[in-house]
């Protein structure tokens, strides 16, 4: 009987900017071509996902900072004064409205990648289950 095959996943703590936990999957000893394709494509999709959220969150933090500076200046508030939650809700709505198209595109692409990875994962599983190398 063959030794069990194990997959090692290394999962990081939350990334400071993207807020995602990044995952590294090490190659399995004797992995099939299908398993290798699945693992590599999964890593590419994870990288794309991470880069999208880094850019989005950097934009958010920059614009949020600009908005709070503008608000404090307009209403002559001290640096220590907090912008009221109602005003931050307005900012968040404006920000998300501006990002709506990029979020739609992100979701369409994410679904496409998920379907692709589902197919590649199923192919790798079936190939391994049938004993193909």
């Amino acid at each position: 009987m063959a030794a069990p095959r194990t997959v090692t996943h290394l999962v990081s703590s939350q990334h400071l900017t993207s807020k995602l936990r990044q995952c590294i999957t090490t190659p399995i000893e004797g992995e099939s071509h299908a398993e290798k394709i699945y693992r590599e494509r999964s890593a590419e999709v994870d990288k794309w996902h991470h880069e999208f959220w880094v850019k989005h969150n950097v934009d958010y933090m920059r614009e949020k900072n600009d908005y709070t500076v503008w608000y404090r200046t307009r209403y002559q508030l001290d640096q220590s004064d907090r912008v009221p939650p109602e005003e931050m809700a307005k900012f968040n709505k404006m920000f998300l409205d501006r990002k709506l198209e990029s979020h739609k595109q992100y979701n369409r692409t994410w679904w496409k990648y998920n379907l692709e990875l589902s197919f590649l994962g199923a192919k790798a599983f079936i190939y391994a289950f049938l004993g193909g190398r």
Side-chain angles (χ1 to χ4, degrees):
M1 179 176 208
R5 297 163 32 126
T6 59
V7 178
T8 303
H9 296 286
L10 303 172
V11 181
S12 72
S13 56
Q14 185 184 58
H15 187 270
L16 293 174
T17 308
S18 73
K19 308 298 185 202
L20 300 174
R21 296 176 62 121
Q22 296 174 293
C23 181
I24 298 170
T25 305
T26 59
I28 303 169
E29 184 178 325
E31 76 181 346
S32 68
H33 182 67
E35 290 168 322
K36 180 180 178 183
I37 290 172
Y38 172 73
R39 178 179 49 80
E40 289 174 348
R41 185 64 177 139
S42 183
E44 290 170 7
V45 170
D46 286 347
K47 183 177 183 249
W48 167 83
H49 183 61
H50 172 75
E51 288 171 355
F52 174 88
W53 286 107
V54 165
K55 181 182 179 331
H56 177 275
N57 292 343
V58 164
D59 289 348
Y60 176 81
M61 294 306 293
R62 186 187 68 250
E63 291 183 32
K64 177 183 172 190
N65 183 58
D66 292 348
Y67 185 82
T68 56
V69 167
W70 170 84
Y71 188 88
R72 286 185 182 122
T73 302
R74 180 159 194 248
Y75 293 100
Q76 300 173 346
L77 301 176
D78 291 334
Q79 189 69 10
S80 61
D81 291 330
R82 296 184 62 163
V83 176
E86 300 81 19
E87 288 302 317
M88 291 312 300
K90 289 177 189 176
F91 162 76
N92 287 331
K93 170 119 177 60
M94 289 185 315
F95 179 82
L96 292 173
D97 285 348
R98 268 195 323 280
K99 295 288 186 175
L100 181 61
E101 284 308 312
S102 80
H103 279 253
K104 284 181 181 179
Q105 182 60 43
Y106 167 82
N107 283 328
R108 284 190 290 271
T109 304
W110 184 238
W111 275 100
K112 181 185 90 169
Y113 287 156
N114 275 325
L115 288 172
E116 177 188 6
L117 288 174
S118 295
F119 171 75
L120 292 173
K123 183 178 175 182
F125 174 79
I126 291 168
Y127 197 75
F129 182 74
L130 295 176
R133 287 276 146 232

